[in-house]
Structure formats: C-alpha cells, structure tokens
Amino acid sequence: MTPTVAQFIQRFEQFAPQWLAMKGDPVGMQLGSTQQSIHRVLVTLDVRPEVVEEAIAKQVDFIFAHHPAVFRPARNLVTDNPQNAMYAKLLANHIAVYAAHTNLDMAAGGMNDWLADQLQLRDVTLLQPQHFQTKFKLVIFVPTTHEEAVRQALTQAKIGQIGAYQGTSFGINGTGYFTPEVTANPYLGQPGQAEAAAETRLEVILDQTQIDQALDLIHKVHPYEEPVYDLYPLARETGPAYGIGRIGRPHTEMTVQDYAHFVRQAFQIDGLRLVTQNPTELVKRVAVIGGDGGKFYPAVLAQGANVFVTGDVYYHTAHDMLASGLSVMDPGHHVEQIVKARLVPLFENWAQAEDWQGVQFIPSQLSTDPFSFVTD
Ligand SMILES: [Zn+2]
C-alpha cells in the first residue's frame, strides 16, 4: 500500500517519539495534511525557499526535515515576507512538511549517534541521561475465544519483553458484564439485554514507544466494538535512558590540534573554530552534540572529556570553556546535514518492512549552510 503521512509518522515516532523533544521545540507536523498519501519524500536538514523549489521540481509531496520549518510562529500570512511566501508555496503545491528536531537528536541511533559515528568515536555512551522511558502495564479484557489471537499479535510485535524473556503475559479468566444500548452494534448479545461473557484479563508490560502500536493491534484483533483496556505507568520500572549528547574515546591517539584537522575532514567542511589552551595535549575523551550544544559544556567536563565538538558556540561561552581547560571544536551547525544520508536508508528499510509501495525517498541535493569562509 501507499502510506499516508499519518502512517509514515506513526512508524517514525516509534523510532523518535515526540515526547523525547525538548520543551517548547515545535516538532511534528508543520504544514499540510496527515491524510494525504506520499509518493516522493524529500529529506532535508532545513526547509528553505530553495529547498521548496527543489521539492516542486522533483514532484515531492512530503518533506521530512530535521529543523522545524515553522520555528518562530507566524504573526500573519502576508506573502510579501519570504518565509510566509514559502509556506504559501508549500500549501499551494500540496507538499506536507514534518519535522523531527530534538527528538531525533535524543533518539537511540539518531542524530548524535550519527555524528559520533562520523567521528569514529569508540565506546560511545550518553553524555547525560535526560529522559527515562516509562514502562507501562497494559491490561486487556478480551473474550476468551480471542485471547490467543490478541496474545499472538502482541508477541509478534515484540510487546511483553522482560529482560531476556519475550512474549511474556499473564491471563486470568472471569466474566465481563455489559448491556448494549440500542445504538450499539455488539459482537455479543442483543441491544437492551444484559449480557455476561466469558472473558480473559490479559496483562502485558510494554515500553512507552510501543503504546500506539499495541492499541492499534488491539483495535484490529479484538472482536468488540469497544475493546476495554487499562494502561498503567509503572512506578519503579524504567526503560532505556535518552539524552542529547554522546561521549566516547577517540579512534586513535592524537593531539588536540591534529584532532581539529580530523574533525574538519570527517565532516568535509572548509574550516572550523577551535577554542583551546592546550593544542598539544592528547585527546582523552570526546563529547559531541550537533547544533547549539555550548550550554552543556559543564556536563562535558564532569564526564571527563577534554574535547567537545558542537556548533554555534557563543563568544562569551567560548571564554568560559577556554578558562575551564576544555578544548572545543565548532564545525558549524550544518554538519547535521548528515541527516539526509542517514535517514534515507532507514526509511527505505521501513518501506520494505511495512510493505509500503510506490514511495521514494530522496535526499536534498542543496547545501543550506548560510555561512561560507573567505580565506584570502
Ligand atoms: Zn540543529
């Protein structure tokens, strides 16, 4: 089947759910309709007027961006303003736009893991945990005749994993009581008549990221018009930790000065800004945060890194970093363009696994770096 924007988002948010995003970050659907089918998807770091032109030329119907297209709220929609004109153009061409920003930065296997990978960091861990995934208990009341079908659907979706045990669940038989109203279309019983049905109380544990998928499955497999379930957050069980930065060992022994050259080459950029008092010191541990990560430098020091790679470093923050003895390499914010090369194969894998037909994923060919270097 050809997926809709909504179906694509549902799959994506299993990987990078919106609740991972930092507070106030306008992630998610930005423009257009979630109900439209998608055939050609342009993957981009930024949504800029030239990217919209590219999307139109390539007959794209969905843009997947890292940076939110609508980052500052529009005060009006007067199209003399270039930003508003861009929104108008997207809508007129029926191009939907979705953004995954700090949720993609935090995601396991997301932006900051890609950057750490590009730097060939070893033994990579979180710089600091910022979110723990909550575990949930899902309790489903299902007619005993359908207990097995529901259990199997959940197990197949890898729901109910506890440690090294998969397909864990608990069932207890009982009786469900209900009286369908005249407007109901009951699977069991007659409108207006009290019914008692043999039901099983089926319990499973699941991760926060699995909730939508589990409820979807229940609505598909459970025979009742109104499946009954409870969902409880568990007080003492937490799932995996998430955080924005990554930290690891350098791939080889190098001085700070040499490492700066390595970083420049790793990201294939024309230059980077180096903040250091110790250019000849060896690199011990390296922390990385794509984009504007300067404010995390105390955490970098606390975790024992002596090199921090991040973008958009401010002048006064750089003074504080320098005084602290940390060496900082600012390769610019545009290194996050790695998103294009990394997401396209991931989306192609999902398309295959989900049996999406007739959808093509295209990396934007444009550089959206507003800065260039003048070197002579
Ligand atoms: Zn960014």
Side-chain angles (χ1 to χ4, degrees), residues 45 66-67 101 105 290-292 333 336:
L45 173 59
H66 178 48
H67 292 139
H101 188 213
D105 291 335
D292 170 15
H333 201 136
E336 291 184 332

Side-chain angles (χ1 to χ4, degrees), residues 292-369:
D292 170 15
K295 65 175 177 290
F296 291 93
Y297 89 88
V300 172
L301 283 169
Q303 296 304 316
N306 63 337
V307 169
F308 183 23
V309 179
T310 194
D312 294 348
V313 173
Y314 296 97
Y315 183 83
H316 297 295
T317 313
H319 277 155
D320 294 340
M321 291 163 159
L322 190 66
S324 76
L326 184 64
S327 294
V328 181
M329 296 164 196
D330 181 346
H333 201 136
H334 191 256
V335 296
E336 291 184 332
Q337 61 124 354
I338 195 172
V339 71
K340 298 183 274 187
R342 299 286 178 143
L343 279 182
V344 166
L346 190 64
F347 291 169
E348 284 168 348
N349 285 345
W350 295 347
Q352 208 162 28
E354 304 280 323
D355 200 22
W356 292 336
Q357 304 290 335
V359 57
Q360 216 184 332
F361 301 98
I362 308 160
S364 166
Q365 296 302 312
L366 302 178
S367 161
T368 50
D369 195 347

Side-chain angles (χ1 to χ4, degrees), residues 190-227:
Q190 297 298 323
Q193 286 179 23
E195 187 68 31
E199 292 183 356
T200 302
R201 175 191 168 104
L202 182 62
E203 305 190 14
V204 285
I205 279 181
L206 72 173
D207 292 339
Q208 199 165 350
T209 44
Q210 295 178 310
I211 293 174
D212 287 343
Q213 192 192 5
L215 297 184
D216 230 44
L217 283 173
I218 289 165
H219 281 99
K220 272 186 200 138
V221 183
H222 196 296
Y224 284 5
E225 192 175 19
E226 304 281 2

